[in-house]
Amino acid sequence: MAIDEKLAELGIILPEATASVGSYVPVKLTGNLAFVSGMLPSEGGHVKQTGRVGESVTTQEAYNLARICAINGLAALKNVIGTLDRVKGIAMVQGFVQAAPDYAEVPKVINGASDLLVALFGDAGRHARFAVGVASLPMNAPVEVAFVAEIMP
Protein backbone atom coordinates (compact mmCIF):
# COMPACT_ATOMS: atom_id res chain seq x y z
CA MET A 1 0.00 0.00 0.00
CA ALA A 2 1.32 3.45 -0.92
CA ILE A 3 2.09 5.72 2.02
CA ASP A 4 -0.44 8.33 0.85
CA GLU A 5 -3.12 5.61 0.99
CA LYS A 6 -1.97 4.57 4.46
CA LEU A 7 -2.10 8.22 5.60
CA ALA A 8 -5.67 8.46 4.33
CA GLU A 9 -6.56 5.19 6.06
CA LEU A 10 -5.21 6.67 9.31
CA GLY A 11 -7.19 9.88 8.74
CA ILE A 12 -4.06 12.00 8.38
CA ILE A 13 -3.78 14.92 6.01
CA LEU A 14 -0.25 16.26 5.81
CA PRO A 15 -0.09 20.04 6.19
CA GLU A 16 1.96 22.28 3.93
CA ALA A 17 5.60 22.11 4.94
CA THR A 18 6.75 25.27 6.68
CA ALA A 19 10.03 27.11 6.29
CA SER A 20 12.54 27.07 9.11
CA VAL A 21 12.44 29.93 11.58
CA GLY A 22 16.18 29.99 12.22
CA SER A 23 19.58 29.26 10.76
CA TYR A 24 18.86 25.67 9.77
CA VAL A 25 16.96 23.66 7.19
CA PRO A 26 13.87 21.57 7.98
CA VAL A 27 15.41 18.45 6.39
CA LYS A 28 19.04 17.68 5.59
CA LEU A 29 19.82 14.84 3.19
CA THR A 30 23.18 13.13 3.47
CA GLY A 31 23.78 9.87 1.65
CA ASN A 32 20.70 7.70 2.18
CA LEU A 33 19.69 9.46 5.40
CA ALA A 34 17.26 12.32 5.92
CA PHE A 35 17.68 14.25 9.16
CA VAL A 36 14.38 15.93 10.01
CA SER A 37 14.84 18.95 12.28
CA GLY A 38 12.94 19.33 15.52
CA MET A 39 9.28 19.93 14.80
CA LEU A 40 6.81 21.64 17.10
CA PRO A 41 3.12 20.74 17.44
CA SER A 42 2.03 23.54 15.12
CA GLU A 43 -1.21 23.77 13.18
CA GLY A 44 -2.02 26.71 10.94
CA GLY A 45 1.25 28.42 11.81
CA HIS A 46 0.69 28.41 15.57
CA VAL A 47 1.68 26.04 18.36
CA LYS A 48 -1.54 24.15 19.13
CA GLN A 49 -1.03 24.13 22.90
CA THR A 50 1.61 25.64 25.17
CA GLY A 51 2.83 24.90 28.66
CA ARG A 52 4.64 22.36 30.76
CA VAL A 53 3.66 18.68 30.79
CA GLY A 54 2.73 17.60 34.28
CA GLU A 55 1.42 21.07 35.08
CA SER A 56 -0.89 22.69 32.52
CA VAL A 57 -0.59 19.92 29.90
CA THR A 58 -1.64 16.30 30.54
CA THR A 59 0.25 13.24 29.36
CA GLN A 60 -2.53 12.41 26.88
CA GLU A 61 -2.56 15.95 25.48
CA ALA A 62 1.22 15.83 25.11
CA TYR A 63 1.02 12.40 23.43
CA ASN A 64 -1.35 13.91 20.85
CA LEU A 65 0.98 16.90 20.41
CA ALA A 66 3.95 14.57 19.78
CA ARG A 67 1.87 12.93 17.06
CA ILE A 68 1.36 16.36 15.45
CA CYS A 69 5.13 16.95 15.62
CA ALA A 70 5.70 13.71 13.70
CA ILE A 71 3.06 14.67 11.12
CA ASN A 72 4.79 18.03 10.62
CA GLY A 73 8.11 16.22 10.21
CA LEU A 74 6.61 13.90 7.62
CA ALA A 75 5.27 16.92 5.71
CA ALA A 76 8.74 18.49 5.72
CA LEU A 77 10.31 15.22 4.60
CA LYS A 78 7.81 14.75 1.78
CA ASN A 79 8.46 18.33 0.64
CA VAL A 80 12.15 17.52 0.22
CA ILE A 81 12.07 13.95 -1.18
CA GLY A 82 8.85 14.21 -3.21
CA THR A 83 7.06 11.13 -1.90
CA LEU A 84 7.07 9.28 1.41
CA ASP A 85 7.14 6.02 -0.58
CA ARG A 86 10.92 6.61 -0.74
CA VAL A 87 11.20 6.10 3.03
CA LYS A 88 12.88 2.75 3.64
CA GLY A 89 12.55 3.11 7.40
CA ILE A 90 12.81 5.32 10.45
CA ALA A 91 16.21 5.00 12.10
CA MET A 92 15.81 7.24 15.14
CA VAL A 93 13.36 9.51 16.93
CA GLN A 94 14.53 12.26 19.24
CA GLY A 95 11.93 13.60 21.63
CA PHE A 96 11.98 16.56 23.98
CA VAL A 97 9.25 17.26 26.52
CA GLN A 98 8.96 20.53 28.43
CA ALA A 99 8.23 18.84 31.73
CA ALA A 100 7.54 19.71 35.34
CA PRO A 101 10.58 18.89 37.52
CA ASP A 102 8.98 15.76 38.99
CA TYR A 103 7.31 14.55 35.76
CA ALA A 104 8.30 10.93 35.06
CA GLU A 105 6.22 9.94 32.00
CA VAL A 106 8.33 11.54 29.26
CA PRO A 107 8.61 8.26 27.25
CA LYS A 108 4.80 7.94 27.18
CA VAL A 109 4.58 11.38 25.58
CA ILE A 110 7.03 10.59 22.78
CA ASN A 111 5.11 7.38 22.08
CA GLY A 112 2.70 9.72 20.27
CA ALA A 113 5.31 10.16 17.54
CA SER A 114 6.68 6.61 17.71
CA ASP A 115 3.26 4.97 17.53
CA LEU A 116 2.34 7.02 14.46
CA LEU A 117 5.55 6.13 12.62
CA VAL A 118 5.06 2.42 13.31
CA ALA A 119 1.38 2.61 12.26
CA LEU A 120 2.42 4.30 9.02
CA PHE A 121 5.54 2.33 8.06
CA GLY A 122 4.99 -0.97 9.90
CA ASP A 123 8.15 -2.73 11.05
CA ALA A 124 10.20 -0.24 8.99
CA GLY A 125 8.87 2.45 11.33
CA ARG A 126 10.44 0.82 14.41
CA HIS A 127 13.38 2.92 15.51
CA ALA A 128 15.98 3.76 18.11
CA ARG A 129 14.89 6.65 20.32
CA PHE A 130 15.57 8.99 23.14
CA ALA A 131 13.00 10.92 25.13
CA VAL A 132 14.15 13.59 27.55
CA GLY A 133 12.47 16.12 29.79
CA VAL A 134 13.69 19.70 29.45
CA ALA A 135 13.09 23.00 31.23
CA SER A 136 11.81 24.88 28.17
CA LEU A 137 11.20 24.58 24.43
CA PRO A 138 10.79 27.16 21.65
CA MET A 139 7.51 29.12 21.73
CA ASN A 140 6.65 27.43 25.06
CA ALA A 141 5.74 24.23 23.15
CA PRO A 142 5.22 21.21 25.37
CA VAL A 143 6.89 18.81 22.89
CA GLU A 144 9.47 18.82 20.09
CA VAL A 145 10.27 15.80 17.91
CA ALA A 146 13.05 15.20 15.38
CA PHE A 147 13.78 12.02 13.47
CA VAL A 148 16.15 10.34 11.04
CA ALA A 149 14.77 8.39 8.09
CA GLU A 150 16.55 6.03 5.71
CA ILE A 151 15.69 6.98 2.13
CA MET A 152 15.66 4.91 -1.06
CA PRO A 153 17.02 6.51 -4.25
Side-chain angles (χ1 to χ4, degrees), residues 4 10 37 41 54 67 79-80 94 97 128-130 140:
D4 284 341
L10 294 170
S37 294
R67 187 175 192 272
N79 187 56
V80 170
Q94 303 155 346
V97 177
R129 183 179 93 173
F130 66 75
N140 198 28

Side-chain angles (χ1 to χ4, degrees), residues 6-97:
K6 186 68 174 176
L7 285 166
E9 181 181 290
L10 294 170
I12 297 169
I13 299 171
L14 293 181
E16 290 294 317
T18 58
S20 64
V21 294
S23 298
Y24 64 92
V25 293
V27 177
K28 174 69 175 180
L29 297 177
T30 182
N32 66 334
L33 297 177
F35 293 82
V36 179
S37 294
M39 296 289 160
L40 300 178
S42 299
E43 290 183 337
H46 303 288
V47 173
K48 182 170 181 173
Q49 185 174 354
T50 60
R52 186 167 280 131
V53 183
E55 290 179 356
S56 61
V57 180
T58 69
T59 300
Q60 185 60 52
E61 289 169 331
Y63 174 98
N64 294 335
L65 294 170
R67 187 175 192 272
I68 293 169
C69 293
I71 290 169
N72 290 340
L74 291 167
L77 181 58
K78 183 177 180 179
N79 187 56
V80 170
I81 66 171
T83 174
L84 293 176
D85 291 321
R86 289 185 57 203
V87 174
K88 184 174 181 180
I90 304 299
M92 182 169 205
V93 169
Q94 303 155 346
F96 303 90
V97 177

Side-chain angles (χ1 to χ4, degrees), residues 114-148:
S114 293
D115 292 347
L116 171 66
L117 294 169
V118 171
L120 186 58
F121 295 108
D123 282 341
R126 295 196 185 284
H127 49 268
R129 183 179 93 173
F130 66 75
V132 296
V134 297
S136 68
L137 286 171
M139 298 193 285
N140 198 28
V143 183
E144 183 173 0
V145 173
F147 61 87
V148 180

